[in-house]
Amino acid sequence: MPKKLPYGQSNFANLIESGYAYIDKTRYIELLENENNTYQFFIRPRRFGKSLFISILENYYGLEKAEKTDALFKDLYIGKNPTPEKNKYAVMNFDFSGLDTDNHEDFRKSFSNRVQECVKAFIDRYTALFANSAELLQTISERNPGAGALDLAYRAAASADVPVFAIIDEYDHFANNLIAMGKTYKDEVKAGGIVRAFYELLKTGTKSVVRRIFITGINPMMLNDLTSGFNMASDYSLFPKYNDMFGFTKEEVEWLMQETGVDKNLIEVDMEAYYNGYMFNNRAENKVYNSQMILFLFNQILQLGEQPSQIIDTNLQTDYERLRRLAENDNNREKLLQITLEGGVFGNIVEKFSLEKLESEEYFISLLFYMGMLTNGGVMEGQTYLRIPNYSIRTLYWEYIVSYVQNLEKTRISTSALSSTLREMAFRGNIKPYLDFFTENFLKRLSNRDLANFDEKYIKVMMLSSLFISRLYLPVSEYENINGYTDIYLQKHPAVKDIKFEYVFEIKYAKTDATEAEVKAKFEEAEAQIEKYKKDPRFAGRDDVRFAVLVFKGKGECEVRKK
């Protein structure tokens, strides 16, 4: 009988006891335990399984879990290869997601209350060990000490002679909202602030009972801004041996399908192109899938019994909002446009940077890397190339382009009108309404500054952005063909079975003042490329694939020749 798919599961004990499939990552417990520094920091993008790994650590190291640990881990690597520190610690865990960031004062209260509640949960969990636990809980409730509650927990652990493992999940979850508030971030994260005070107290605990710390987050910025408040943790995020610690390898995805009964024949999208592609070090052996993306797809297939219409996780919208906020200055906006146009950028990953440096190119690019918006693409001529990891992430950049074009005139593009033109293409083979809409609503809105560097790439990426809005097609850029790479291939969405036409576009651009002979030469060049693409076995003999040469002139004209 197939095991359950662990979609949305972050409680390890429940996952194992309830018959869910689990991709074994417990070998990394051994690696982390053998590191010289026991105060550890680990960064990965959202939805990579960090919270589940936190739960694994709690169940393995928590001394109160001793009676269940062997049963939970018996079939896993760490159960067969236990380490010396198994069930050795009182685990004190903090989760800083979901804090109130509406205003400065609400954040202070919310953060203070969260720390107190986590400390109270710690004392309550180990009440059998702490002789005065009831008194401690009453003291915290009456005095409302905020981060100061840590001192009471340290004293209780010291009296019981119990070492503490402090675990912090989503350490920077609130940081983006605080950054948007401006002064609040600086006031609370830097000297004298409530966040700074918490980490200073955590650091103080390492002198007595706190023997291990494990912190997860999305980027290193806030930890660096804490400076001396918390400067003793080692960041293992970019070490090659930890590349696969979060996310799934190709082999792990294949195993998961077999274990949970996902019918591979129902998957009509290229999973590697859509969800794979992450590398956190150029010397890593594997690319990894975003685990939540792949679980999202598998869950829908198991629920529906067919290829789902929704193949990109809607939770990516939260990443888009972060991307939009980061691009509010001209330098970052230009860099995002460049990455969208070229599919990547050369740059070095900076392991430590602060808020004040985000307008600098290399720090902004590094932040995109940590967010999962870019990933390692290899070294070329001594420089690191950072590329967009997969199709799902590429759509976030396309959405940014649509938003950028809309903001030029502060008017929204009608998605219903656009969708109507795309239905004309899909079901009646008429591309003129779409091209008229695209020219009027995208090209003509561009500023003269944008036109200064305008070329075929610019048109292509804006066209891809507009085409993505439709749920009829999966627009593909640079689709590999035996005779080259097509500019745009409009592939039928696998969930829409009655689409009549697919399209291959070859795009050329001529300046406003181009001569008739120059425009003719553009057509001839593009038509020659189209003839080569037609010979590809995937297109040959198909009457449902339409080929078209699109020659744009300036920002208001488009001439089409169907082939």
Side-chain angles (χ1 to χ4, degrees), residues 108-120:
R108 287 181 61 86
K109 290 179 181 177
S110 181
F111 187 90
S112 178
N113 289 338
R114 181 65 57 84
V115 173
Q116 284 187 184
E117 290 306 311
C118 289
V119 171
K120 287 168 71 175

Side-chain angles (χ1 to χ4, degrees), residues 273-410:
Y274 274 75
Y275 314 117
N276 199 0
Y278 296 92
M279 286 187 71
F280 300 98
N281 188 290
N282 284 323
R283 290 181 284 118
E285 294 182 2
N286 301 305
K287 294 177 182 177
V288 294
Y289 287 83
N290 179 307
S291 51
Q292 186 68 8
M293 287 182 185
I294 208 74
L295 290 170
F296 173 81
L297 174 68
F298 288 175
N299 182 61
Q300 291 192 94
I301 288 174
L302 289 172
Q303 294 288 327
L304 301 172
E306 61 182 4
Q307 170 68 50
S309 60
Q310 190 69 37
I311 58 177
I312 297 175
D313 190 345
T314 52
N315 285 324
L316 282 175
Q317 291 294 328
T318 57
D319 287 335
Y320 167 70
E321 288 302 319
R322 287 187 173 122
L323 183 65
R324 184 184 59 78
R325 286 198 296 266
L326 290 169
E328 289 180 347
N329 68 71
D330 286 343
N331 290 338
N332 292 351
R333 181 182 66 83
E334 292 296 332
K335 188 53 59 179
L336 282 182
L337 289 173
Q338 178 191 342
I339 293 169
T340 310
L341 288 167
E342 299 177 4
V345 65
F346 285 98
N348 295 315
I349 301 302
V350 180
E351 294 188 25
K352 292 183 178 181
F353 55 92
S354 61
L355 174 63
E356 287 80 7
K357 296 182 177 180
L358 271 190
E359 290 194 20
S360 173
E361 179 177 311
E362 69 172 336
Y363 296 106
F364 178 61
I365 290 171
S366 294
L367 185 58
L368 293 177
F369 169 81
Y370 288 117
M371 289 174 61
M373 305 294 293
L374 292 171
T375 196
N376 271 295
V379 177
M380 303 177 189
E381 298 181 355
Q383 283 187 293
T384 299
Y385 183 70
L386 299 170
R387 57 177 177 78
I388 301 173
N390 52 49
Y391 185 92
S392 293
I393 297 301
R394 190 178 294 274
T395 64
L396 295 183
Y397 288 94
W398 291 345
E399 285 189 49
Y400 173 75
I401 294 293
V402 173
S403 173
Y404 165 68
V405 172
Q406 289 181 151
N407 287 335
L408 288 174
E409 294 184 3
K410 304 298 181 185

